[in-house]
């Protein structure tokens, strides 16, 4: 049975899109970014498209594609609209009903769990509505232990089904401590690179695939 896997992180710019590309390549899954806020430098969907080598992945269009690079609820407000989680859910049901039973779907969120999508609902609420399994992305930097463990605590408080961590960058060696304290296993530790290519994604996908057990 195909799985829905939601990629979220400990914050913004922690490497969710690269992790999503690697996971999408590893599973030959479909990819979907339902809410894109800011696209002057290109969308995350277009980035994923450039990094995928397999011929099975479909990139699904965003439900909300917002111009302002800001918190989604603010970006939506600037355009006179409100992000409706029910509309995202409708698109999600269309996607999963049209895919093969064994085909996986990777969903990339915006920022972290408590990023507001509207005045009352957060990324966390979207994860719960879609009943998705979650992979947490953490980038090693000063302060990431705190951010990582806070993210894990929110997941536990809301009974989120967490598959594990994807770490990237290398500030200091404390990934194993985050794993121990959070209770969530390490799925991958991505090496630092200034040049993320399709070749890099394919190489890391082979490593990640061996650690994925649903």
């Amino acid at each position: 049975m195909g799985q829905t896997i939601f990629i979220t992180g400990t914050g913004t710019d922690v490497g969710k899109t690269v992790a999503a590309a690697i996971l999408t390549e590893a599973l030959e899954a479909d990819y979907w970014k339902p809410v894109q806020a800011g696209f002057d430098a290109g969308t995350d969907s277009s980035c994923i498209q450039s990094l995928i080598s397999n011929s099975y992945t479909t990139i699904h269009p965003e439900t909300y594609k917002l111009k302002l690079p800001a918190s989604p609820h603010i970006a939506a407000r600037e355009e006179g609209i409100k992000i409706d989680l029910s509309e995202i859910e409708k698109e999600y049901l269309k996607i999963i009903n049209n895919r093969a039973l064994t085909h996986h779907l990777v969903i990339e969120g915006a920022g972290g769990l408590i990023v507001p999508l509207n005045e009352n609902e957060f990324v966390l609420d979207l994860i719960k509505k879609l009943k998705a399994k979650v992979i947490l992305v953490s980038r090693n930097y000063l302060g990431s232990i705190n951010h990582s463990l806070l993210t894990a605590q929110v997941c536990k408080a809301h009974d989120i089904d967490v598959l594990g961590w994807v770490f990237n960058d290398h500030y200091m060696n404390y990934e194993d401590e985050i794993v121990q304290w959070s209770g969530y296993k390490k799925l991958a530790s991505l090496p630092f690179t200034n040049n993320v290519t399709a070749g890099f994604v394919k190489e890391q996908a082979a490593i990640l695939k061996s650690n994925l057990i649903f």
Side-chain angles (χ1 to χ4, degrees):
M1 186 70 177
Q3 298 288 339
T4 297
I5 304 170
F6 199 106
I7 302 287
T8 191
T10 57
T12 303
D13 293 329
V14 296
K16 291 190 304 296
T17 301
V18 173
I22 291 168
L23 180 65
T24 299
E25 182 69 15
L27 297 176
E28 297 181 337
D30 283 4
Y31 170 88
W32 184 38
K33 173 99 174 185
V35 180
Q36 172 75 49
F39 52 83
D40 284 348
T43 64
D44 290 332
S45 295
S46 62
C47 178
I48 295 288
Q49 187 73 66
S50 71
L51 294 173
I52 294 301
S53 303
N54 78 82
S55 58
Y56 299 100
T57 294
T58 296
I59 311 292
H60 297 278
E62 302 87 347
T63 305
Y64 295 95
K65 188 176 177 182
L66 308 165
K67 185 172 180 59
L68 185 67
S71 177
H73 78 297
I74 295 174
R77 186 190 302 156
E78 285 293 307
E79 297 186 27
I81 61 176
K82 180 179 178 178
I83 294 173
D84 186 341
L85 269 60
S86 295
E87 289 301 312
I88 297 175
E89 185 181 30
K90 286 179 188 176
E91 290 299 313
Y92 169 69
L93 292 174
K94 287 180 186 177
I95 291 170
I96 63 170
N97 287 334
N98 288 332
R99 69 180 176 177
L101 286 177
T102 57
H103 205 57
H104 303 292
L105 173 65
V106 173
I107 302 175
E108 182 181 351
L113 290 170
I114 313 299
V115 165
L117 297 175
N118 55 46
E119 286 73 17
N120 304 304
E121 296 170 303
F122 303 84
V123 168
L124 175 67
D125 296 298
L126 179 58
I127 292 170
K128 293 164 75 172
K129 182 176 280 289
L130 302 184
K131 300 179 176 65
K133 296 180 185 296
V134 167
I135 288 178
L136 302 173
V137 179
S138 177
R139 182 174 66 84
N140 292 324
Y141 56 86
L142 185 61
S144 73
I145 293 175
N146 180 53
H147 296 156
S148 298
L149 296 180
L150 285 172
T151 297
Q153 287 297 325
V154 171
C155 288
K156 290 177 181 179
H158 290 269
D159 294 320
I160 300 300
D161 188 354
V162 176
L163 295 173
W165 294 99
V166 171
F167 295 101
N168 70 90
D169 208 345
H170 291 280
Y171 172 73
M172 286 185 175
N173 185 23
Y174 43 65
E175 294 175 4
D176 290 342
E177 292 172 305
I178 291 174
V179 167
Q180 177 186 342
W181 289 326
S182 69
Y184 298 141
K185 75 176 195 175
K186 183 194 298 188
L187 298 173
S189 182
L190 308 179
F192 175 79
T193 179
N194 284 317
N195 186 28
V196 178
T197 63
F200 174 83
V201 166
K202 190 171 184 177
E203 176 185 89
Q204 295 303 313
I207 298 170
L208 175 60
K209 188 173 183 178
S210 65
N211 289 328
L212 288 173
I213 300 175
F214 300 124

